[in-house]
Amino acid sequence: MEFASLFNFSIQRPCEALFWICAFLLVQNSEGSSSDSNYLIGLGSYDITGPAADVNMMGYANMEQTASGVHFRLRARTFIVAEPQGERVVFVNLDACMASQLVTIKVLQRLKARYGDLYTEKNVAISGIHTHAGPGGYLQYIIYIVTSLGFVRQSFDVLVNGIENSIIQAHENLRPGSIFINKGKLLDAGVNRSPSAYLNNPAAERRKYKYNVDKEMTLLKFVDLEWGPIGSFSWFATHGTSMSRTNSLISGDNKGAAARFMEDWFEKKGGIGSGFDISVDDRIPRRVSNIIPNLFTNHHELLELAASFQRPSGTSATRILSSSRRVRGALTNADKPQFVSAFCQSNCGDVSPNVLGAFCVDTGLPCDFNHSTCDGKNELCYGRGPGYPDEFESTRIIGKRQFRKAVDLFNNASEQLKGKVDYRHSYVDFSKLEVTLERGGTTQVVQTCPAAMGYSFAAGTTDGPGAFDFKQGDDKGNPFWRLIRNFLKKPKKEQIDCQHPKPILLDTGEMTKPYDWAPSILPIQILRVGQLIILGVPGEFSTMAGRQLRDAVKTVLTDGGKSELSGDIHVVIAGLTNSYSQYVTTFEEYQVQRYEGASTLYGPHTLSAYIQEFKKLARALVDGQAVAAGPQPPDLLDKQLSLLPSVVMDTTPHSVKFGDVKSDVPKNSTFKRGDMVTVTFWSACPRNDLLTEGTFALVEILHDKKLWVPAYDDDDFCLRFKWSRPFKLSSRSHATIEWRIPKTASAGVYRITHFGAAKRLFGSIHHFTGSSSAFCVM
């Protein structure tokens, strides 16, 4: 391809010619990026942070775990890859516990209204990172919204809006570019939390692998023809459970942290189009030290400057003020693409980030190996992360380990993706699917079952133990809970036999009042970009289940060397994609009935059913044949019920304004790097306005002795926004902002600012802001 046509550009002046030649050579010589473009690539990112108050967190099913602030914000990150005159695929990575069938349905409806048939269920994949620290209530089946008191429209809407906007951004950013792939081992970011179940797999199968969890990270590096590297998407299996079941701050957990670290790292190293050397050091970089030079060395001068600023009272603000003051505002980089980095989930079913192991909280001894109990009690057995006992530190460490491996893979990516962009998608009814098994030269036809959950489901895991007298590995049940079960729905003998050896606790697949409790129709999907194959699965596959699925699909795709994909293809599993149906274990793991087996909904042959149906998609992909759409999943939006009370009104004491400081920094205070700065404001319920693409909390640094410049916001790992009421039904509330001063912070004068929105008696919303007194950092 000729240079001029490559850029669709006519050069008329020598200086312009020199600029574009240098830009072209920069792209050509970027690390692992010396290649002609062969795709159109576009990336997008949008805020999906849900209600930071009152709403139950999704993941642990702990009714006492309700949101009350923000650790850092959640985002939807998207890539689109298209052949210039051919097909295209969309992959969306959500900082959410999982994808939702209802969310997917509504996103696809919006895309159809905007783009026609360009983006459909066939070529759009929406995948969750499995954080257990995001607001729930956005799935449509009852079993997944019981603890959130039903459907939460705000949680649902922010996801649909955010996904749509991230796809719109990626679509509008489509430009010529290339994609590079790299893989490498990450050894210290996940352990098997159900090793006794893994050991039940055949020894011959286990001997194929060195570890009992997958240690490989697969990374895509996106390189724009003009701008150079613009993003990365990586897949690695580890649960989003570094944050515990008692955490109440919205957080992307370890994968969300890794994404924030990598995006900030790239910006720190010069950003898109800089040509800076890209390396990684031990510190997670922040940009403020580049924006504001370290001009202050005299402590007395700093104190005098800080004292010259009077603390402002709370004041009215516009909705847009919060967005315009963000550190990473959209307007900041309007002249160039935004670097987008996503850390996607894979077959994480039995993989825990709590890598120190599981111990009894009362004795400090290791938990029972087979049942994960302590003296027979599951609720005393907890996994420990590398930062134990600090869950925030564990999240940082596991996030940092993924981030550092991703940087290494990013810098050394040299294999270019080439070839077709293609896809296959089908809906399958897993509640009554005939599955043909071939074992030892014989053929046997078995069947999946309507969804059901076993007793060990209620025992939880070492990442988040359950309650009562449940324990993992229970294949019998007990009379008391059987009585409770039968009151809700007594399973038929056929169902009991089909699910054996699972003792059924909840027969969710046959519970339909007031509407469906569990899914039966699920989407399965294959996306292809050159030699990369992405398997979109609507659940959490165990390590061995994921390996077997990948191997089966790869065998079909390579077709004994006859397929054009017979070379070195890369198959990754994208877990929790498009819908959610809990776990998938191997047949042998299912027999043990630990948590993952008890949560494998469709019986012992669930994995075999997935393998059978994915092989059909893979064969159709190789042969260039279409596949049947399958039965459509229901749209249950109109049937949703919600028991979550709405916000009635917000108030403050007499003569106190929203945004006024309740507890300030000490007068004439000076802090050191590593110190914690805490300020509390009179506030209002964060559900009044999610401040999407804005911030509830801001740290500002004084520039040129007069201008307050945003330095850190509630999307920074070092800043926490905590919201609270004096008592449950109080109309008064407080916002406490905590800033752990980073080692990279510049010396200077700072203040902490809060943004919020209050609801008046008759429903109108009043936006406000307030700031602390100024203080020094040395």
Side-chain angles (χ1 to χ4, degrees):
M1 185 179 293
E2 293 184 359
F3 180 71
S5 63
L6 193 66
F7 286 93
N8 191 23
F9 170 73
S10 176
I11 298 175
Q12 298 177 348
R13 292 185 298 233
C15 59
E16 287 187 3
L18 180 61
F19 170 80
W20 284 110
I21 290 171
C22 291
F24 179 72
L25 291 174
L26 173 62
V27 172
Q28 293 296 300
N29 290 291
S30 181
E31 298 84 359
S33 306
S34 56
S35 173
D36 294 332
S37 69
N38 54 332
Y39 298 118
L40 299 177
I41 58 174
L43 277 65
S45 176
Y46 203 81
D47 190 359
I48 56 169
T49 309
D54 303 329
V55 175
N56 186 248
M57 299 285 201
M58 182 62 195
Y60 286 117
N62 175 16
M63 292 196 70
E64 296 179 358
Q65 187 194 14
T66 56
S68 62
V70 177
H71 180 207
F72 58 92
R73 286 191 168 255
L74 311 179
R75 301 196 70 80
R77 296 173 170 93
T78 296
F79 74 72
I80 299 177
V81 180
E83 293 181 271
Q85 302 300 323
E87 302 290 356
R88 63 183 59 201
V89 294
V90 181
F91 188 90
V92 185
N93 190 61
L94 298 179
D95 287 347
C97 194
M98 68 282 289
S100 155
Q101 184 66 74
L102 186 59
V103 168
T104 301
I105 288 171
K106 297 308 176 183
V107 168
L108 292 172
Q109 288 176 359
R110 292 192 182 187
L111 294 177
K112 184 173 179 61
R114 182 179 292 271
Y115 299 113
D117 293 329
L118 192 61
Y119 302 115
T120 70
E121 63 195 20
K122 298 178 182 179
N123 66 344
V124 175
I126 302 173
S127 180
I129 64 170
H130 209 39
T131 174
H132 286 43
Y138 62 91
L139 289 89
Q140 68 173 348
Y141 297 104
I142 288 179
I143 194 63
Y144 306 129
I145 57 175
V146 169
T147 58
S148 61
L149 301 179
F151 189 68
V152 180
R153 186 71 195 221
Q154 221 174 11
S155 296
F156 173 80
D157 284 342
V158 74
L159 280 170
V160 174
N161 293 337
I163 295 167
E164 180 191 23
N165 278 293
S166 72
I167 293 174
I168 291 171
Q169 283 183 19
H171 176 85
E172 293 179 349
N173 288 338
L174 280 169
R175 298 166 54 87
S178 301
I179 308 169
F180 296 82
I181 189 167
N182 201 2
K183 298 191 293 188
K185 293 287 193 296
L186 174 57
L187 300 180
D188 54 359
V191 296
N192 198 306
R193 69 186 187 187
S194 288
S196 61
Y198 181 89
L199 288 173
N200 208 45
N201 289 300
E205 185 81 8
R206 288 185 279 114
R207 279 196 295 268
K208 297 178 183 178
Y209 306 98
K210 184 176 181 179
Y211 304 103
N212 63 2
V213 297
D214 284 343
K215 300 288 188 180
E216 189 167 75
M217 177 182 285
T218 301
L219 178 136
L220 299 183
K221 176 179 181 178
F222 294 86
V223 181
D224 184 277
L225 187 60
E226 176 185 349
W227 292 102
I230 56 170
S232 67
F233 276 62
S234 61
W235 288 264
F236 178 77
T238 194
H239 248 75
T241 48
S242 292
M243 301 296 287
S244 75
R245 68 191 298 274
T246 60
N247 163 64
S248 65
L249 301 185
I250 290 174
S251 174
D253 209 276
N254 56 70
K255 287 189 176 289
R260 169 53 51 237
F261 297 159
M262 189 150 181
E263 289 173 350
D264 285 350
W265 160 80
F266 191 87
E267 183 181 358
K268 173 76 174 184
K269 295 302 177 183
I272 288 173
S274 69
F276 281 31
D277 176 57
I278 299 178
S279 59
V280 64
D281 56 31
D282 286 333
R283 297 180 298 178
I284 303 302
R286 282 294 300 117
R287 53 189 264 154
V288 67
S289 57
N290 284 355
I291 298 173
I292 306 298
N294 193 354
L295 300 177
F296 298 106
T297 56
N298 187 301
H299 186 203
H300 181 71
E301 179 188 357
L302 282 179
L303 283 174
E304 283 191 343
L305 188 58
S308 69
F309 284 87
Q310 293 292 321
R311 185 185 74 196
S313 300
T315 184
S316 296
T318 60
R319 166 66 178 78
I320 200 172
L321 181 62
S322 166
S323 299
S324 66
R325 300 296 290 169
R326 279 182 61 225
V327 172
R328 303 169 186 82
L331 296 178
T332 304
N333 297 312
D335 60 332
K336 60 184 179 180
Q338 176 186 11
F339 187 84
V340 177
S341 183
F343 286 73
C344 312
Q345 196 53 270
S346 192
N347 52 319
C348 68
D350 52 1
V351 187
S352 170
N354 297 312
V355 294
L356 298 186
F359 296 87
C360 299
V361 296
D362 55 345
T363 66
L365 297 174
C367 304
D368 172 78
F369 181 77
N370 289 317
H371 302 289
S372 296
T373 56
C374 301
D375 195 21
K377 298 179 180 179
N378 74 83
E379 56 264 43
L380 298 178
C381 177
Y382 278 88
R384 294 180 180 177
Y388 174 82
D390 185 342
E391 62 190 293
F392 295 94
E393 181 65 5
S394 291
T395 300
R396 186 193 68 81
I397 292 171
I398 297 296
K400 184 177 178 182
R401 288 174 181 174
Q402 292 177 77
F403 152 66
R404 290 175 66 86
K405 172 51 65 174
V407 168
D408 175 56
L409 296 176
F410 184 87
N411 285 340
N412 294 287
S414 59
E415 179 186 345
Q416 185 176 353
L417 293 185
K418 296 180 179 180
K420 293 180 181 178
V421 174
D422 209 348
Y423 48 84
R424 292 296 183 275
H425 175 283
S426 182
Y427 289 112
V428 179
D429 188 343
F430 278 86
S431 70
K432 51 185 178 182
L433 183 66
E434 286 192 350
V435 181
T436 301
L437 303 179
E438 296 181 5
R439 291 175 178 170
T442 62
T443 299
Q444 178 187 8
V445 177
V446 295
Q447 192 164 327
T448 57
C449 328
M453 296 155 69
Y455 279 66
S456 296
F457 156 78
T461 72
T462 56
D463 291 336
F468 305 110
D469 56 349
F470 295 103
K471 65 180 181 180
Q472 296 197 66
D474 185 353
D475 60 0
K476 293 180 175 59
N478 71 54
F480 174 76
W481 291 110
R482 197 174 297 121
L483 181 66
I484 301 297
R485 174 202 69 187
N486 291 345
F487 176 77
L488 294 171
K489 173 69 172 70
K490 183 177 181 179
K492 299 174 183 177
K493 183 179 184 302
E494 294 84 356
Q495 173 75 326
I496 293 173
D497 292 342
C498 186
Q499 292 279 354
H500 181 80
K502 177 197 293 178
I504 297 173
L505 178 63
L506 290 173
D507 190 17
T508 52
E510 299 184 312
M511 297 167 69
T512 58
K513 293 182 179 179
Y515 49 90
D516 292 350
W517 280 58
S520 57
I521 298 170
L522 294 170
I524 60 171
Q525 185 177 45
I526 297 179
L527 303 183
R528 176 190 173 185
V529 180
Q531 60 271 36
L532 172 69
I533 302 296
I534 302 172
L535 309 182
V537 299
E540 303 171 61
F541 276 56
S542 70
T543 297
M544 192 63 85
R547 289 166 174 172
Q548 292 183 14
L549 177 63
R550 286 197 305 261
D551 289 348
V553 170
K554 189 170 184 178
T555 298
V556 174
L557 292 175
T558 55
D559 195 21
K562 300 175 185 177
S563 165
E564 52 107 3
L565 277 168
S566 59
D568 185 18
I569 68 171
H570 309 277
V571 181
V572 298
I573 288 177
L576 308 115
T577 296
N578 294 328
S579 186
Y580 184 63
S581 59
Q582 292 168 254
Y583 287 75
V584 179
T585 64
T586 66
F587 178 86
E588 293 80 8
E589 290 166 344
Y590 186 90
Q591 308 307 306
V592 179
Q593 281 298 295
R594 283 183 63 92
Y595 174 84
E596 294 82 12
S599 304
T600 296
L601 296 185
Y602 307 104
H605 303 295
T606 300
L607 174 60
S608 296
Y610 272 102
I611 289 174
Q612 172 181 279
E613 299 305 304
F614 265 101
K615 286 170 71 174
K616 292 178 183 177
L617 294 190
R619 173 51 57 192
L621 192 73
V622 170
D623 294 343
Q625 300 296 315
V627 294
Q632 291 292 308
D635 178 345
L636 302 176
L637 181 59
D638 293 339
K639 295 186 177 183
Q640 297 301 311
L641 303 173
S642 178
L643 300 178
L644 180 69
S646 60
V647 179
V648 178
M649 65 179 297
D650 297 283
T651 63
T652 58
H654 179 67
S655 75
V656 173
K657 300 177 182 179
F658 289 108
D660 277 357
V661 173
K662 182 176 183 293
S663 176
D664 204 358
V665 295
K667 188 175 182 181
N668 299 323
S669 54
T670 299
F671 298 91
K672 303 185 299 297
R673 296 170 183 87
D675 288 348
M676 178 76 82
V677 183
T678 303
V679 179
T680 300
F681 298 86
W682 287 98
S683 190
C685 184
R687 290 164 59 195
N688 295 325
D689 191 328
L690 303 183
L691 298 186
T692 301
E693 291 291 358
T695 182
F696 290 105
L698 187 67
V699 174
E700 299 171 292
I701 185 171
L702 188 65
H703 178 50
D704 200 23
K705 299 185 179 182
K706 58 185 178 182
L707 178 65
W708 291 105
V709 176
Y712 304 90
D713 60 25
D714 68 9
D715 202 14
D716 276 293
F717 206 84
C718 63
L719 191 65
R720 299 175 196 169
F721 164 70
K722 296 182 176 181
W723 179 82
S724 62
R725 291 187 180 100
F727 53 90
K728 188 168 185 178
L729 298 179
S730 175
S731 60
R732 297 178 182 177
S733 63
H734 309 131
T736 298
I737 298 173
E738 297 177 349
W739 181 40
R740 177 71 69 182
I741 304 175
K743 294 178 181 179
T744 53
S746 298
V749 175
Y750 288 83
R751 71 178 184 181
I752 290 178
T753 296
H754 170 45
F755 298 95
K759 189 173 185 180
R760 294 190 172 100
L761 179 59
F762 298 106
S764 62
I765 300 298
H766 162 67
H767 288 88
F768 62 86
T769 186
S771 297
S772 71
S773 296
F775 56 91
C776 302
V777 171
M778 289 297 292

